[in-house]
Amino acid sequence: MHPVQQKQLSMKSGQPEQGSSGASSGQIMIVGGGIAGLALANALQRGGRQVTIYERSAVHEERGAGIVLAANALKVLEKLGLAGQVRASGAAVRSAEIRSWDGKPVMRLPVHEQADRYGTYSYLIHRAELHRILLKGLEPGTIRLDKRFLHYQEGPDAVTASFAGGEQAEGALLVGADGIHSKVRSQLAGDPPLRYSGYTARRGIAHFRDSRYPVELGGGFEAWGPGKRFGFSHLGNDRIFWFAAINAPQGLQAAPEGRKAETLRHFRGWCEPIEAVVESTPEEAVLAHDIFDMKPLPYCSAGRVVLLGDAAHPMLPNLGQGGAQALEDAWVLADLLLALPGNLPAALAEYEHRRRARTAKVAERSRRMARMVQLEHPAALYARNSLLRLLPSQMSIKALDWLLGYEV
């Protein structure tokens, strides 16, 4: 048996480790200052726990573009006391439709009925704004910048994290919230390989107005074509967040100065206002990423180390749940650590019990959705679109109960 797995089993006996009672209520170290790490620190500090975030960047800023926060994400933000700020800074999704590449309607999503059913609209917000809100909720000095994590070492009463430059820090628990290329996961789980999705993404934010998509409605549309799709959504303040997903071999990225022209080439002749919104985007604001996920890990904690967010379960973005699952992870882990301050093994065992099956299901459904929305063959596209046009709206609402109706 792998020594990490052996340690994991011993920690899940439900009994505290020798010396764990005092240490488990001490300092908690979080590696990574993204959504997962910031949300966990907010939740733990609300419960009176000592938390330090170690972020590798020298300046805490989040690039990227828009992120959608569905009802399950808003529930966590409500518990953190931050949902009001998110709603004020973002844009409610009050309209959403799917079209074919040439503009023909495929289906209109029942966003108002979903809002009634789950208690809130989804909101789209700039990632930088979400980070600012989460960071503002923390006590001064919580986050330490320019700290590149190298490895950890466990003792009977504490775990020690080592950083570039020779610095070390000690705590009761080390949380790996360091994203899809997690260094903490690499040591804990043996560096499992990432899986390429089969498509690459382009994203951008533009100041753009179109009378056909009034800002007060929010939301927008997705257009689906052979092996490609394009999304257009209001972000607030006359900004549009757009994304493009393009089937392609891994690693075929255009240089930064060529991304805008490449995107326009792929979507030339598609329905309006796709070309216009890409044209209005500054060249430097067009981002490019190959998209990956990973097979579910057999475990996401061992001893005094635990993973959450993309470090634990990177998933494809097709259900818009990457951020939401990170928020759920953070709240559940914090809730258990606060409820079981003297029994770290039991808290981590229950965290795995509550989260692993759910996140694995979301990741699997996201990959299944990718296969459906990135179809290339014309006959397959025709069959898919015809089926979606016949789908009753009530069926599509109830099909999301397991996802959006989840209670942390």
Side-chain angles (χ1 to χ4, degrees):
M1 180 181 291
H2 190 284
V4 171
Q5 291 174 298
Q6 191 171 28
K7 177 68 171 175
Q8 172 75 359
L9 290 174
S10 70
M11 287 293 289
K12 289 189 175 178
S13 65
Q15 298 300 318
E17 266 192 316
Q18 184 178 0
S20 71
S21 296
S24 65
S25 58
Q27 179 72 239
I28 295 174
M29 303 179 294
I30 301 172
V31 177
I35 292 171
L38 292 172
L40 178 62
N42 270 272
L44 288 170
Q45 286 184 348
R46 286 169 66 89
R49 293 298 297 269
Q50 299 174 6
V51 185
T52 302
I53 298 173
Y54 297 88
E55 167 57 42
R56 67 175 295 156
S57 301
V59 178
H60 192 261
E61 60 180 7
E62 173 68 9
R63 294 190 69 219
I67 181 172
V68 65
L69 298 170
N72 56 321
L74 267 298
K75 289 176 185 176
V76 176
L77 291 164
E78 290 281 6
K79 291 176 180 291
L80 293 174
L82 302 175
Q85 294 180 57
V86 168
R87 291 188 175 100
S89 299
V93 180
R94 293 191 172 93
S95 66
E97 57 186 23
I98 307 297
R99 304 175 177 176
S100 59
W101 69 271
D102 54 359
K104 294 183 175 67
V106 174
M107 68 180 300
R108 183 178 292 274
L109 302 180
V111 292
H112 304 299
E113 293 88 340
Q114 286 181 355
D116 288 341
R117 189 177 186 88
Y118 304 119
T120 181
Y121 287 98
S122 296
Y123 276 76
L124 195 74
I125 187 172
H126 196 298
R127 282 182 176 268
E129 283 294 299
L130 178 58
H131 275 239
R132 180 188 62 78
I133 291 167
L134 289 167
L135 187 61
K136 186 179 177 182
L138 297 177
E139 298 171 2
T142 299
I143 187 164
R144 300 191 61 192
L145 302 174
D146 201 18
K147 302 300 177 187
R148 183 165 62 88
F149 173 82
L150 298 177
H151 55 81
Y152 64 82
Q153 184 173 358
E154 287 191 74
D157 299 315
V159 57
T160 301
S162 296
F163 301 89
E167 182 176 348
Q168 292 186 324
E170 186 178 276
L173 176 68
L174 177 69
V175 180
D178 48 340
I180 188 170
H181 299 293
S182 170
K183 294 287 288 184
V184 179
R185 183 184 70 230
S186 178
Q187 183 173 348
L188 184 146
D191 209 14
L194 297 175
R195 300 184 296 183
Y196 180 51
S197 64
Y199 67 88
T200 187
R202 303 291 179 268
R203 296 184 175 98
I205 293 175
H207 285 274
F208 184 83
R209 272 181 173 261
D210 190 302
S211 59
R212 292 165 294 187
Y213 302 96
V215 65
E216 58 270 16
L217 276 183
F221 68 87
E222 284 191 24
W224 296 352
K228 304 174 192 177
R229 60 193 163 110
F230 190 95
F232 170 107
S233 294
H234 283 283
L235 193 58
N237 300 318
D238 287 339
R239 295 173 301 173
I240 296 296
F241 164 60
W242 61 263
F243 74 86
I246 304 161
N247 288 1
Q250 181 180 342
L252 293 183
Q253 297 285 0
E257 62 273 13
R259 291 171 183 167
K260 182 173 174 178
E262 178 206 37
T263 305
L264 286 168
R265 177 176 60 81
H266 276 291
F267 293 94
R268 192 71 70 190
W270 282 45
C271 60
E272 296 180 351
I274 290 175
E275 291 182 57
V277 74
V278 176
E279 287 279 16
S280 66
T281 308
E283 184 81 51
E284 66 276 9
V286 179
L287 307 178
H289 308 279
D290 284 348
I291 304 299
F292 297 88
D293 69 356
M294 187 178 68
K295 289 183 178 180
L297 294 171
Y299 52 89
C300 61
S301 69
R304 295 184 177 278
V305 183
V306 64
L307 305 173
L308 77 163
D310 283 349
H313 43 70
M315 57 186 62
L316 304 183
N318 303 290
L319 292 179
Q321 281 288 310
Q325 293 307 305
L327 289 166
E328 287 184 9
D329 282 356
W331 181 264
V332 171
L333 179 58
D335 189 48
L336 289 166
L337 292 172
L338 294 169
L340 299 167
N343 197 336
L344 181 61
L348 297 186
E350 182 62 18
Y351 168 72
E352 294 229 22
H353 174 71
R354 293 191 194 179
R355 297 302 302 156
R356 283 184 61 247
R358 174 167 170 80
T359 55
K361 182 177 180 179
V362 176
E364 188 276 330
R365 295 290 178 91
S366 296
R367 178 161 277 267
R368 187 189 304 177
M369 178 70 75
R371 291 194 292 269
M372 190 266 285
V373 298
Q374 298 292 138
L375 290 171
E376 295 188 11
H377 195 281
L381 268 67
Y382 177 81
R384 177 198 66 196
N385 292 354
S386 298
L387 179 62
L388 290 176
R389 288 186 178 106
L390 297 174
L391 186 67
S393 62
Q394 286 302 314
M395 183 180 296
S396 64
I397 294 172
K398 292 179 180 179
L400 293 175
D401 278 353
W402 70 275
L403 182 63
L404 303 184
Y406 179 77
E407 296 289 343
V408 290

